[in-house]
Amino acid sequence: MSLRLGIKDFLQEARFRAIIDVRSPAEFAHAHIPGALNLPLFSDEERALVGTLYKQENPRAAFKKGLEIAGKKLNWYLEEINRLTGGKKLAVHCWRGGKRSDSLGWLFGMAGYDVVILEGGYKSFRSYASDFFSACAPKFIVLGGKTGSGKTEILTELKNQGEQIVDLERLAIHKGSAFGNLSNSLQPMPEHFENLVFQAMYNLDFSRRIWLENESRAIGKVFIPPAIWSKKIVAPLIHMEVSLDARVERLVQDYAGFSKEELVAAFMKIQKRLGGLRLKNALDCIDKNDFAGAAKIGLEYYDKTYNHCLDTGSFSKIFSIEIPGNDPVKTAEKVIQFADNHIFK
């Protein structure tokens, strides 16, 4: 018989097991526990059929149909679990910790697997993550700077030098501006992004500082969890003063490799804010391969936006430091030293 665990114990056990999400493919694609593998008891169509019977007839009819569907696939479930996990111990869950996880947990147990089942299912995970965000008291330091300051690279270097970070842009698969997804990479669904943030923060040491990049509430099509946002906007901020030339140089390095069509499309997203003349000048620069000129025009808008956010924000303290050049290693060393001397360690 499979052991049923509450969410806290389940997450602890899941560190040493394969997490198996037996919900339908559509449920899994919407959001799931990070690192989980999907082995659905029902396909999307089968789940819809069983659900319709449950609502329109009765639970007994739905159970009978579910048994009929699953009974034909017992060998497939066992073949799939072996293919996915290679015989590892299993941590199984469904939506509410009901019949789906019980059914496949029983089958895998009978086949000789060591199985634990999540009491309350994925729903309990979501509730636990929400409570965690509300209750946690992180010592955030926000790393700020105008567009092109290299915040993401510096954040990565802070991690390389032993600091704790939460890289929200990496989790969001977006750089947070009209130019933030020129690669057209698929972002996670908003709910799954919150799950990824939870995973990134769950095992951090909250007695030590944690670095975040200064982001807007929305990063592309996803949003920083409200409880984390409320803690981030009142944290101390280190604003890095980087010269315009250095920022333009970095932007050209980052974006000149994209096609002209992609760059034009990105500028078109901010055409109302740029104004007609500046948009025309930017597009002319792109057409002439003057990517530095286009970058300077874009920065006119983004610098004003950043300054407005600083003026109207609620950071507990804002510390400005000058950063020469584009060396993330030296910059990380400098901001660490500054934090040691002026902000909590």
Side-chain angles (χ1 to χ4, degrees):
M1 184 174 181
S2 301
L3 178 65
R4 300 181 71 87
L5 298 176
I7 180 59
K8 188 172 182 179
D9 291 333
F10 182 88
L11 291 176
Q12 179 66 24
E13 272 294 312
R15 296 167 57 198
F16 313 105
R17 298 171 179 263
I19 305 175
I20 305 300
D21 185 333
V22 302
R23 297 177 301 153
S24 69
E27 291 175 287
F28 182 85
H30 176 75
H32 53 269
I33 298 176
L37 304 170
N38 188 213
L39 200 167
L41 179 65
F42 300 132
S43 68
D44 295 330
E45 296 76 16
E46 291 164 347
R47 175 174 175 260
L49 175 60
V50 172
T52 298
L53 286 173
Y54 188 93
K55 292 178 181 178
Q56 295 184 357
E57 294 190 26
N58 54 62
R60 185 184 296 270
F63 177 78
K64 184 176 179 181
K65 175 56 69 174
L67 190 62
E68 176 188 331
I69 293 170
K72 298 175 182 179
K73 298 194 288 184
L74 296 183
N75 285 334
W76 179 81
Y77 296 136
L78 294 178
E79 290 171 358
E80 277 295 284
I81 199 64
N82 185 62
R83 181 184 69 82
L84 290 171
T85 71
K88 285 183 66 176
K89 295 179 179 181
L90 308 178
V92 178
H93 76 85
C94 59
W95 167 239
R96 282 186 290 202
K99 290 185 173 60
R100 286 187 286 179
S101 56
D102 281 346
S103 298
L104 285 184
W106 170 84
L107 177 65
F108 299 148
M110 291 295 291
Y113 286 86
D114 186 317
V115 182
V116 297
I117 294 175
L118 175 56
E119 185 74 43
Y122 174 74
K123 187 176 181 181
S124 71
F125 167 79
R126 285 290 297 167
S127 178
Y128 185 75
S130 178
D131 291 344
F132 171 83
F133 288 146
S134 297
C136 70
K139 296 180 178 179
F140 282 148
I141 299 180
V142 180
L143 187 66
K146 294 176 181 177
T147 300
S149 297
K151 297 184 291 294
T152 299
E153 292 87 346
I154 296 163
L155 197 69
T156 299
E157 185 56 36
L158 286 170
K159 182 178 180 181
N160 292 340
Q161 296 188 27
E163 296 289 312
Q164 298 186 121
I165 71 165
V166 178
D167 190 342
L168 295 169
E169 288 188 354
R170 181 184 63 81
L171 299 177
I173 316 180
H174 197 286
K175 292 187 177 180
S177 72
F179 299 81
N181 195 21
L182 285 174
S183 61
N184 291 315
S185 299
L186 186 64
Q187 285 194 267
M189 297 293 285
E191 182 176 308
H192 190 58
F193 173 68
E194 293 185 358
N195 294 347
L196 293 170
V197 175
F198 168 80
Q199 180 191 44
M201 294 187 63
Y202 186 58
N203 291 314
L204 295 181
D205 180 355
F206 282 77
S207 68
R208 296 173 54 211
R209 62 193 177 209
I210 301 168
W211 297 80
L212 296 175
E213 187 174 336
N214 193 15
E215 301 285 353
S216 300
R217 173 87 164 84
I219 308 175
K221 296 180 179 179
V222 302
F223 301 88
I224 299 174
I228 298 304
W229 173 255
S230 66
K231 295 174 173 66
K232 174 249 179 191
I233 61 175
V234 297
L237 177 139
I238 293 181
H239 166 68
M240 300 182 297
E241 292 280 3
V242 181
S243 72
L244 176 62
D245 288 344
R247 293 190 291 126
V248 169
E249 179 184 350
R250 181 180 294 278
L251 291 177
V252 171
Q253 290 175 354
D254 289 347
Y255 294 108
F258 291 99
S259 71
K260 291 183 179 180
E261 292 76 14
E262 290 173 309
L263 294 173
V264 168
F267 268 101
M268 293 301 293
K269 293 178 182 178
I270 56 172
Q271 59 178 315
K272 291 182 180 179
R273 297 163 186 169
L274 277 178
L277 180 59
R278 281 189 292 180
L279 176 65
K280 178 182 181 302
N281 290 339
L283 300 187
D284 286 344
C285 287
I286 293 172
D287 185 57
K288 297 174 182 176
N289 295 323
D290 180 10
F291 300 112
K296 287 180 181 178
I297 294 170
L299 287 177
E300 290 181 35
Y301 159 67
Y302 283 111
D303 285 359
K304 288 180 180 178
T305 301
Y306 182 83
N307 288 335
H308 174 74
C309 291
L310 279 189
D311 292 340
T312 60
S314 52
F315 294 105
S316 59
K317 289 184 179 180
I318 298 177
F319 304 90
S320 292
I321 58 175
E322 290 191 10
I323 303 297
N326 276 323
D327 187 332
V329 175
K330 291 182 179 178
T331 301
E333 292 171 351
K334 185 169 185 175
V335 297
I336 288 172
Q337 184 180 31
F338 186 90
D340 285 343
N341 293 333
H342 300 281
I343 314 175
F344 43 68
K345 298 182 180 182

